[in-house]
Amino acid sequence: MSDTGTTGTRPIIRVQNLKKRFGDHLVLKNISFDLYPRDAVTIIGSSGSGKSTLLRCINHLETPTAGAVLYHNEEIKPDIHSVNAFRSHVGMVFQSFNLFDNMTVLENCMAGVLYVQHKSREYAKEISLKYLQKVGMDPYINAKPRQLSGGMKQRVAIARALVMEPEVLLFDEPTSALDPEMVGEVLDVMKQLVSDGLTMIVVTHEMAFARDVSTRTIFMDDGYIAEEGTPDQIFNHPQNKRTQDFLSRFRNG
Amino acid sequence: MSGTPNNFFSWIIFLLQQYHGLYFSGLITTLETSLLGTVLGCVLGFAVGVVQCSSGEDETTPAKKTLFSLLRGIVKVYVTVFRGTPMIVQAMVIFYGISEAFGVNMPAFQAAILIITLNTGAYMSETVRGGIQSIDKGQTEGALALGMNRFPMMMHIILPQTMRVIFPQIGNTFVGNIKDTSVLNVISVTELFYITNVAAGTYFRMFEAYTITAMIYLTLTLAFNLLFRIIEVTMAGRESYTVVGSVEPGVEVTA
């Protein structure tokens, strides 16, 4: 987690002129933005606007077609060493949880510490329990993912990412696969992380979360950043016509 | 002795009295060759299957990329040849081929292990490849997002899950190998089939001698099918788990 006590002036991550093409289809057209320490950026926009692709390009689960992602002003090269070093500092939480099915809750959390950070089992267990406690999943350390509800799985997935003590956490629609009654428990954990000062980027359809919790909101439309600003600017005084249209559905809904 | 046996059952009893030691040693050889060959063949099959599934895109230098392409080529030829020819022919080619080409006389037992291993490895690699491809892409992405390299990801996440998926097929392969080792009599491996020939030949009682052999094979395959079924169920794991620190200690929750 970020140790910076004050809001730093240097960005942790810089996205510069990012483009991503799938076949003939240009999904990301020209994306640039900076992520500063303690930022909690939400990315909103309709399906197919490129939100998730942007997030996946940042940690190179998709290789960008053009442009660059900089981490502390150093470009992430598309080779496995550079990418893996970056990924171990920038965690990711997926829509479909992606917990390891062959491992218990505890083993899921320990995996990164053991096989990426190569630290001792004692340390791995200790820190896993600490973060499982934080998300309220410590009673379930012996359960396998298939034995848990969606909300529980997602909380374990968040703990698994936190155990790596990442500088930034990326959330790819973390509540979109959940039943309505489970969305709350995951959002509560995320709100706690924001107030702890964890730097994060959240792709979400939860407009209330974007408006009330995030420090900055990016509205994406058709592969571009259409509008960017504080939640107050975006939600209460949107300048762009597309933003206004998109948000009118939310306000009326 | 109360004279020569005069019916099917008395011949069976007579042959068992005469040759039980021989049958037993044949049975042991059959088990040894099929078990060792299956285990080594599975190890080979996993290695080959992983190579077949890898794209080589993670190799960092052009030299390594070339080497990897070469390895993939070799693997492809190996799998094609061994899946495309009968094991009995492979046995002859390998056993006599090595002896003629290098002048070494490989002991039949070692040759048997080698042949079964190579044969099993070729089939198993396809099973492993299918198994790996059946694992949800999210498992890989979960590991990649932690910054995990391919090797620990394979060892700790993908292959353990693949193992569970393909375990029934491994059991089938082993049971198949118990039967298929019988073709190794052509290179004089003294397995069950070979020794039956010996037992049958002395008194010309083919029917009785091979009936005994058939019963032994059947017992083995039934027993091992049952054993693998038990292991499979055990591997599936319990459906319940213990909630730590619950009011009632050791309370079990069923999902």
Side-chain angles (χ1 to χ4, degrees):
Chain A
M1 226 169 279
S2 174
D3 292 329
T4 28
T6 57
T7 302
T9 45
R10 291 178 176 193
I12 304 175
I13 292 176
R14 312 193 73 163
V15 176
Q16 295 181 330
N17 306 105
L18 199 74
K19 295 190 176 90
K20 178 64 185 177
R21 179 187 295 280
F22 289 112
D24 290 337
H25 187 45
L26 199 56
V27 181
L28 299 178
K29 289 174 180 163
N30 194 1
I31 306 280
S32 300
F33 74 94
D34 293 337
L35 182 74
Y36 289 89
R38 303 176 80 87
D39 265 355
V41 174
T42 43
I43 303 179
I44 59 172
S46 53
S47 298
S49 60
K51 309 183 299 290
S52 286
T53 306
L54 171 59
L55 208 63
R56 292 167 61 83
C57 277
I58 290 175
N59 77 349
H60 281 60
L61 280 178
E62 305 289 353
T63 308
T65 309
V69 178
L70 276 64
Y71 177 61
H72 291 296
N73 260 330
E74 268 194 55
E75 188 180 340
I76 312 304
K77 304 272 190 319
D79 74 85
I80 199 73
H81 299 298
S82 174
V83 169
N84 273 348
F86 174 72
R87 283 172 180 160
S88 68
H89 297 293
V90 176
M92 181 141 175
V93 174
F94 298 87
Q95 180 179 347
S96 52
F97 327 122
N98 295 355
L99 292 176
F100 306 132
D101 292 337
N102 59 319
M103 297 183 183
T104 63
V105 164
L106 182 62
E107 288 165 343
N108 261 281
C109 291
M110 289 169 68
V113 182
L114 292 177
Y115 311 130
V116 179
Q117 296 179 340
H118 303 289
K119 292 184 180 163
S120 72
R121 287 197 81 84
E122 291 72 43
Y123 170 79
K125 187 167 178 186
E126 190 186 317
I127 193 148
S128 296
L129 287 173
K130 173 181 157 189
Y131 284 107
L132 282 168
Q133 213 158 17
K134 186 169 182 66
V135 302
M137 284 302 292
D138 52 313
Y140 302 94
I141 49 172
N142 296 322
K144 288 278 180 76
R146 67 187 149 89
Q147 297 164 323
L148 302 176
S149 72
M152 290 164 122
K153 281 190 224 181
Q154 197 58 297
R155 285 189 283 149
V156 173
I158 293 172
R160 179 176 72 176
L162 289 173
V163 162
M164 301 290 282
E165 312 226 283
E167 204 174 352
V168 179
L169 212 45
L170 310 175
F171 290 85
D172 186 7
E173 302 197 25
T175 57
S176 298
L178 300 178
D179 291 342
E181 70 262 33
M182 292 171 187
V183 171
E185 62 184 87
V186 172
L187 289 181
D188 285 345
V189 168
M190 291 170 63
K191 281 176 198 162
Q192 183 60 48
L193 296 176
V194 174
S195 63
D196 290 349
L198 179 68
T199 312
M200 58 172 88
I201 305 176
V202 185
V203 168
T204 188
H205 290 291
E206 291 293 327
M207 292 305 146
F209 179 86
R211 185 189 57 199
D212 303 334
V213 184
S214 65
T215 60
R216 198 147 55 95
T217 299
I218 291 174
F219 172 70
M220 278 188 72
D221 182 53
D222 193 32
Y224 292 105
I225 292 181
E227 195 165 354
E228 179 182 359
T230 63
D232 179 57
Q233 285 168 338
I234 299 291
F235 285 91
N236 300 328
H237 317 285
Q239 304 299 310
N240 187 301
K241 178 78 172 61
R242 295 285 302 135
T243 320
Q244 291 163 359
D245 289 348
F246 179 77
L247 289 174
S248 70
R249 269 176 285 155
F250 161 58
R251 281 206 214 87
N252 301 334
Chain B
M1 291 291 275
S2 53
T4 42
N6 51 12
N7 63 33
F8 177 74
F9 291 107
S10 54
W11 268 110
I12 296 252
I13 290 162
F14 176 77
L15 286 174
L16 279 176
Q17 279 169 344
Q18 291 282 302
Y19 295 116
H20 59 87
L22 203 55
Y23 272 114
F24 188 71
S25 80
L27 163 71
I28 295 299
T29 307
T30 289
L31 277 180
E32 280 174 344
T33 47
S34 47
L35 186 64
L36 257 171
T38 306
V39 170
L40 294 175
C42 282
V43 174
L44 180 66
F46 266 95
V48 170
V50 168
V51 170
Q52 285 177 318
C53 281
S54 313
S55 58
E57 63 183 19
D58 286 352
E59 303 304 333
T60 38
T61 64
K64 278 187 182 169
K65 275 192 164 65
T66 314
L67 215 61
F68 188 81
S69 307
L70 190 70
L71 181 64
R72 278 192 69 148
I74 294 170
V75 154
K76 181 123 183 90
V77 171
Y78 155 66
V79 173
T80 309
V81 168
F82 275 84
R83 292 180 77 213
T85 54
M87 188 156 87
I88 193 163
V89 176
Q90 294 162 14
M92 298 298 272
V93 170
I94 289 175
F95 186 62
Y96 294 106
I98 286 178
S99 131
E100 277 174 27
F102 304 105
V104 267
N105 282 316
M106 189 187 269
F109 183 76
Q110 268 95 315
I113 304 286
L114 180 68
I115 291 153
I116 301 166
T117 300
L118 289 173
N119 195 275
T120 304
Y123 280 96
M124 197 47 76
S125 73
E126 292 293 300
T127 308
V128 169
R129 191 166 65 108
I132 290 174
Q133 282 166 354
S134 78
I135 306 298
D136 180 52
K137 201 164 153 266
Q139 299 291 305
T140 310
E141 293 201 336
L144 289 179
L146 288 171
M148 209 179 285
N149 286 323
R150 293 272 167 187
F151 185 74
M153 178 171 83
M154 273 290 165
M155 295 308 285
H156 298 292
I157 295 153
I158 306 300
L159 291 185
Q161 295 185 40
T162 306
M163 185 69 183
R164 253 185 72 180
V165 173
I166 68 169
F167 189 77
Q169 192 51 41
I170 292 178
N172 280 342
T173 303
F174 177 59
V175 168
N177 278 342
I178 290 177
K179 296 179 289 174
D180 292 345
T181 47
S182 59
V183 307
L184 296 172
N185 78 87
V186 296
I187 58 165
S188 310
V189 179
T190 54
E191 44 67 56
L192 196 50
F193 185 88
Y194 184 90
I195 63 91
T196 313
N197 251 328
V198 177
T202 320
Y203 295 93
F204 293 104
R205 303 308 300 187
M206 300 293 173
F207 180 43
E208 289 84 357
Y210 281 103
T211 301
I212 294 171
T213 308
M215 298 311 286
I216 295 174
Y217 276 121
L218 191 61
T219 310
L220 286 179
T221 53
L222 285 175
F224 279 105
N225 274 330
L226 183 66
L227 179 68
F228 279 106
R229 186 75 202 116
I230 292 168
I231 297 174
E232 215 178 297
V233 171
T234 314
M235 271 171 75
R238 300 183 316 154
E239 276 308 313
S240 60
Y241 59 91
T242 320
V243 175
V244 178
S246 55
V247 195
E248 255 178 281
V251 76
E252 301 250 314
V253 174
T254 305

